[in-house]
Amino acid sequence: MAEELMGAGPKARAAKKRGLKDRALDALGLQRKKKRTPEWRKRDYFNLALSRGIEGIPDERCFVLQNVVRGLRHVPGDVAECGLRFGKSTAFMLAADEAKRTYCLFDSFEGLSAPQPEDALSDTGKAYWDQADLSVPEDRVRANLAGFPDKTLLFFKGWIPERFPEVADRTFALLHVDVDLYQPTRDALEFFWPRLAPGGIVVCDDYGSRKCPGAKRAFDEFFADGRGRLIELPTVQALVLKPG
């Protein structure tokens, strides 16, 4: 095997290794186990959104959001999302949502706001992100989210929490917070939690991310009094259920 692999590039070496292993298995009357596609990737609503080819957060997190919104089918209220980037998470929720809800979508479309001391990484003392990181033009996001005729999408361009008062009279079943930083995360919780219907859910996209310590701190501080039940997920997300 060593002679056969000598002088080959990384990809060629990997392919030759696979070939040698396959031949060895064949000689023993065995076959290489093929990786199976997880069942959740076969869901119609998942593939409907996936077919749009939108960049953004990992598929696993999108699937979590899809099942959160499906599980809220009997909870009254709209959906609020803070931080859209390319609109991938929104598209996946829209594809799976069986209720006719209004989606209130908040983004600066100019990237992140300025990090605060709460956003500093413990090992460097500095924030991972800079102001204006992750900027995506509004027209691109709107184009990515076109084609959901049974849903009402309201876009609120501006820095959090400037435009929150425009939805002050609404009730929400779901709040998705994906703003990466401490202050806008805290502002979103302060405004939307009182407007979340009993049985509603808040999802933090960044709770377990090393890059976003401020988001975790905002959630931990806000829910320290036990007003909601916080569940951390291996996808780095966290869910908070509002008691009924």
Side-chain angles (χ1 to χ4, degrees), residues 67-212:
N67 280 274
V68 168
V69 78
R70 286 170 64 83
L72 292 171
R73 62 175 65 87
H74 299 305
V75 177
D78 298 323
V79 172
E81 185 166 35
C82 299
L84 308 179
R85 205 178 177 202
F86 295 103
K88 182 178 179 180
S89 57
T90 320
F92 275 75
M93 288 190 289
L94 289 166
D97 197 348
E98 298 175 341
K100 291 187 177 181
R101 305 184 193 274
T102 294
Y103 278 65
C104 299
L105 308 175
F106 296 86
D107 201 292
S108 68
F109 300 106
E110 297 178 26
L112 299 178
S113 55
Q116 302 300 311
E118 293 87 351
D119 298 304
L121 305 180
S122 59
D123 56 343
T124 66
K126 298 180 180 180
Y128 180 88
W129 303 110
D130 291 322
Q131 186 170 357
D133 280 351
L134 308 178
S135 175
V136 178
E138 182 179 1
D139 58 354
R140 183 172 180 182
V141 180
R142 285 181 175 271
N144 285 341
L145 297 179
F148 290 98
D150 59 333
K151 303 293 191 301
T152 300
L153 277 60
L154 303 179
F155 288 83
F156 297 89
K157 181 178 181 178
W159 297 105
I160 290 172
E162 291 175 357
R163 300 196 63 182
F164 285 174
E166 297 175 48
V167 298
D169 60 345
R170 292 180 178 270
T171 299
F172 295 89
L174 172 62
L175 167 65
H176 180 222
V177 186
D178 184 10
V179 290
D180 295 27
L181 302 176
Y182 174 83
Q183 194 57 56
T185 299
R186 183 73 191 224
D187 289 339
L189 293 173
E190 293 281 1
F191 180 85
F192 285 103
W193 182 257
R195 295 170 174 81
L196 196 70
I201 291 178
V202 180
V203 180
C204 179
D205 179 71
D206 318 301
Y207 185 83
S209 172
R210 175 189 169 275
K211 302 174 184 178
C212 307

